[in-house]
Amino acid sequence: MSNGRLSYFSDIMPTLAARSLLASISQLGFANPPLRRHLRDLFSQPYGRPGALLADPTFEAVFGWKGANCKMSDLEGQLLASELVDAMDAAGEFRFGKEFEPYVHQLKSWEILNGSEPQSLVVTSGTGSGKTECFMVPILDHLTRLRQEYGRLIGVRALFLYPLNALINSQRNRLKAWTSPFNGDIRFCLYNGNTPERPDRSSLQPKDPCEVLDRTSLRGQPPPILVTNSTMLEYMLVRTQDAPILEQSQGKLEWVVLDEAHTYIGSQAAEVALLLRRVLNAFGVEPGNVRFVATSATIGDPDGEAGESLKRFLADVAGVNISRVHLVSGSRQIPAIPGEIQQHRIPIEELEKIDPENETSHGRYAALCSHPQARRIRQLFTESGEASQVARLSEVCAVLYGQKQEYTADEQHLALRWLDLLSGTRNTDKDGRWGESFLPLRAHFFHQTLSGIWACADPGCAASSGTALDNESWPFGKIYLEPRKHCECGSPVYEVANCGDCGTVYLLAAESNGYLHHLQPSNVLDE
């Protein structure tokens, strides 16, 4: 299966390994042929073996998220303002159509945050689960309703706090798409170190009235949405030139969003808590009148201690009672597979020949549903029923070949072909369109970093016997990828270096009083 979707993981892993091997050996720059052959053998071992550049890869099941069994049109004019639903429906690339079904955790978040009494929320869910919509939709809904009453909104009412500028910039297009229909009455500003002081008069790009692009305009008429980071927020509280932002926002701040809350740990969490106290004081609002939202990556057990810890974190940071903090967690919808297990095992080669060029194949999907090995691999990722179940390649190999200490490169490659087959096969829905994947997967690859190479100083080292180093052209003994004092044979071990011009290999050792000792650069020696 050299063509199509069915050879994805089984192609990319060997390619990554081969390119990493060539790049590492080239970067090391050693000219000694036995050493280069030995490093090639060492780096080419099966994934996860000592010396292999690629670790045992991890695969994550990524089934779809549970839907709320209602459409956006059902919420229009009730939970959500009609104007907002219309704006999201006409948002082009970022369209959230009226026929779309929100996820269960999104709808639950909207219900909590749209309540008459301010409540705070922790949203924990996996990548691609729509965490941003959990808070952005109710915030925009609230601003839409305020616009109906007051017209153009001036003064900061929602503060989005992001740990990285890249995360700040990622929100620009979505905010622009969802606020443009309001003709500048609902505006936003991405306020970071790159925000210019004055408008760029030379730019030929058309200005969008929904986005505030410079600091002068920000101070003149602060928008209701301010997206920033803790550093800029700190500056805003103390800089005289930013005082107009606070003056025109007095008593108006109603929302504070902390994205990637799991990045705030230890002293950093304490600093954010103190910063938010100062922010509330500077904006002239009480914690009880502000809705705080924190988003976080998926945690172990949202209903257990992990969930309570996140709720306590937000309560402590915001300065509100934990009884007002709610936790919403996304959960996967794992479809049941039809059919009964057939004891006859069709070889993978035969399965791959069923509609080989099509990802959507009712015949191949049905064959996998009845195949014992295919079902056992799928069960490995679904048996816990958690939001995201992961398994290493070695665990997949254990399903196929039984529990062993190590698996060969050929066994690993066949296991990758099975994962390709299972993740690359979809059934069809009742209308003949794409249906569910038998086992949708996301891969996580881990690469070893080399901090150096170490070698035994004994050219007759018994530990290097049987390797490419057992060669008269190699003047030292066994190679190690981690620092150590002595070799398995008992001889001293020193770091390997090479001449930058010719690549000749030598050891970083020096003689002193008749003894060899480890040679260290002067900058690491103690005074």
Side-chain angles (χ1 to χ4, degrees), residues 223-246:
I225 300 175
L226 185 63
V227 187
T228 187
N229 55 50
S230 57
T231 301
M232 295 303 296
L233 192 56
E234 181 80 42
Y235 288 154
M236 191 176 74
L237 296 180
V238 298
R239 276 198 300 225
T240 304
Q241 57 265 47
D242 284 339
I245 302 175
L246 301 175

Side-chain angles (χ1 to χ4, degrees), residues 122-126 129 131 258-263 294-299 310:
V122 177
V123 181
T124 170
S125 192
S129 62
K131 289 195 294 290
L258 293 173
D259 194 53
E260 305 290 337
H262 54 276
T263 63
T295 69
S296 175
T298 303
I299 57 176
L310 273 177

Side-chain angles (χ1 to χ4, degrees), residues 79-80 88 96 102-114 121-126 128-141 160 171 174 178 255 257 259 291-296 327-330:
L79 182 64
L80 302 177
M88 295 169 65
F96 204 122
Y103 298 132
V104 169
H105 58 279
Q106 291 177 332
L107 181 59
K108 189 173 181 181
S109 299
W110 300 347
E111 292 171 343
I112 292 171
L113 294 175
N114 274 359
L121 178 69
V122 177
V123 181
T124 170
S125 192
S129 62
K131 289 195 294 290
T132 299
E133 287 85 350
C134 288
F135 62 82
M136 190 174 290
V137 170
I139 289 176
L140 291 176
D141 176 74
F160 294 4
Q171 298 304 326
R174 188 202 310 261
W178 288 1
W255 303 80
V257 177
D259 194 53
R291 290 169 170 83
F292 295 89
V293 181
T295 69
S296 175
L327 186 140
V328 172
S329 176

Side-chain angles (χ1 to χ4, degrees), residues 182-194:
F182 298 104
N183 300 315
D185 291 345
I186 298 177
R187 297 165 299 133
F188 69 94
C189 179
L190 308 187
Y191 189 33
N192 56 35
N194 298 323

Side-chain angles (χ1 to χ4, degrees), residues 453-470:
I453 301 288
W454 287 262
C456 171
D458 183 6
C461 173
S464 63
S465 179
T467 70
L469 299 176
D470 190 7

Side-chain angles (χ1 to χ4, degrees), residues 326-388:
H326 306 266
L327 186 140
V328 172
S329 176
S331 55
R332 302 277 187 182
Q333 180 69 54
I334 303 176
I337 51 177
E340 298 181 355
I341 300 178
Q342 302 294 326
Q343 295 304 316
H344 175 62
R345 297 188 179 188
I346 304 174
I348 186 174
E349 293 79 9
E350 295 299 319
L351 293 170
E352 290 173 331
K353 292 178 182 177
I354 304 174
D355 296 333
E357 301 301 324
N358 298 319
E359 184 173 349
T360 300
S361 171
H362 180 74
R364 193 167 68 243
Y365 189 93
L368 292 178
C369 288
S370 62
H371 198 285
Q373 285 182 311
R375 293 179 69 121
R376 287 175 60 201
I377 294 174
R378 189 179 189 271
Q379 186 179 9
L380 179 67
F381 290 89
T382 61
E383 59 186 357
S384 73
E386 294 180 2
S388 61

Side-chain angles (χ1 to χ4, degrees), residues 143-157:
L143 296 178
T144 301
R145 297 175 191 272
L146 288 177
R147 173 182 179 264
Q148 294 170 353
E149 184 175 356
Y150 300 109
R152 182 181 173 88
L153 301 178
I154 298 175
V156 178
R157 295 179 179 271

